[in-house]
Every structure is written in C-alpha cells, then in structure tokens.
Amino acid sequence: QNLNIISPEKATHYVIGLTRSLKTDVEARIELYNKDLDRLLLPQDDVFFAPRNSGYGIARGIEVRLEKQRSQGGRLSGFVSYAFSESKYRDGDGSKWIPFKFDRRHSMTFFANLRLAGNWSANLLWQAASGLPFTDVVGFRVHSDGYWSFVSGPRNEANFPLFNRLD
C-alpha cells in the first residue's frame, strides 16, 4: 500500500586508513569507518509490513591489522587483526537504538600460511567474534480460544555466545 510513497534508502560512507611499513615484509594498518544510513525502510507496525522510510542508522568501527608478507626465499606469511564495530538503527519517532541483526562488536582473526615443497602450502585460520544479536523469547501467552503464542523480548537485545572457528 505504501509503494508509491517510499524512496530509496541512502548510505554515506567515510573511510580513513593509515598503513606503516615496519620492516620490508611487515606492515601495520589501522582503518576507521563510519556509515550513516538514512531513509531506512522500516515496517509501519509489528503485524503488517507496510514499509515507510522512517529509519536512521549508523555503522562504525575500527580495525587494527599486522601483516607479514612472504619474503624472498621465505616460507611464512600471515596476519592478525582485531576489529571493534557497532551497527544500530532507530525509527524516526525517536525510539531507542536497536542493534542490526549483523551487529558484531568484537572480531579477531589470525591467519598463517606456510609454503611447503613445490606448489604445496599449509594454512591455519582462527576466528573469534562476539555473538550476533537476536530477539529472545521471554514467555508465552495462552489465549481465550485455547491457542498460545510466544512473547518476544526487546528486538535484538540478546546476543548469542562467542563465535569461535578454527580451519
């Protein structure tokens, strides 16, 4: 019903980074970013999705990375990085901020590559990150007709546990 009054969402990005060579094969990097999101399509209510451009959001963060390139005749390369970020939105009516479902505050990655004989190599990748947000179920409601339904807590207020992966 709102298709004739909605407009495209808008995102404005700002990124700044600094890279410094520590040795011929090692460099450090820091990057900051900010993204302003405007005219986000949000539902008019929780029952029907009648979109309207009423949302505003932000995504921002910082990443610090230390990387070693394989030197001439060397066999080892890799990197370690840490990122802190936040991404959240709110409705134009001034409601409280809600984390996006992809909001991941902390993320750490370690990667190592060892060149073996010929064209063979062995890799190790470890990632750890804070859990993604989700909407928790806090109870249930029994209706007068005998049916029941779940009662949800605040949107995206809970987080899954720490994510950890080793390849």
Side-chain angles (χ1 to χ4, degrees):
Q1 86 193 39
N2 294 15
L3 291 179
N4 57 343
I5 62 169
I6 60 175
S7 60
E9 296 177 323
K10 177 184 173 189
T12 307
H13 304 259
Y14 303 96
V15 180
I16 187 168
L18 179 65
T19 302
R20 169 121 174 130
S21 292
L22 303 176
K23 294 170 63 176
T24 57
D25 59 345
V26 178
E27 70 179 25
R29 182 180 318 152
I30 186 168
E31 249 182 35
L32 293 114
Y33 72 91
N34 186 70
K35 183 191 297 189
D36 293 318
L37 305 160
D38 198 14
R39 301 189 306 245
L40 292 177
L41 287 172
L42 296 178
Q44 201 162 324
D45 56 44
D46 288 336
V47 179
F48 301 105
F49 185 79
R52 58 191 176 112
N53 292 100
S54 62
Y56 171 77
I58 57 171
R60 56 183 159 214
I62 183 171
E63 180 181 13
V64 179
R65 181 177 174 129
L66 184 64
E67 183 170 357
K68 182 191 180 315
Q69 298 290 329
R70 188 171 43 227
S71 60
Q72 182 79 15
R75 297 175 15 157
L76 185 64
S77 63
F79 69 87
V80 62
S81 73
Y82 169 76
F84 173 79
S85 64
E86 70 174 336
S87 55
K88 54 190 178 181
Y89 70 95
R90 69 176 170 193
D91 207 337
D93 64 3
S95 61
K96 69 177 192 159
W97 288 99
I98 300 170
F100 278 108
K101 64 182 177 181
F102 51 81
D103 180 50
R104 182 162 273 166
R105 297 295 164 102
H106 304 277
S107 179
M108 184 159 197
T109 304
F110 173 79
F111 175 76
N113 182 22
L114 178 64
R115 192 176 74 191
L116 303 173
N119 291 328
W120 290 88
S121 64
N123 301 312
L124 176 76
L125 174 66
W126 174 70
Q127 296 173 304
S130 54
L132 293 172
F134 70 96
T135 303
D136 203 4
V137 174
V138 295
F140 66 94
R141 177 179 300 132
V142 179
H143 303 278
S144 60
D145 57 6
Y147 290 99
W148 59 274
S149 61
F150 291 110
V151 176
S152 298
R155 179 174 290 171
N156 291 344
E157 285 281 321
N159 285 75
F160 288 110
L162 174 75
F163 169 80
N164 196 357
R165 177 179 178 164
L166 179 64
D167 293 326

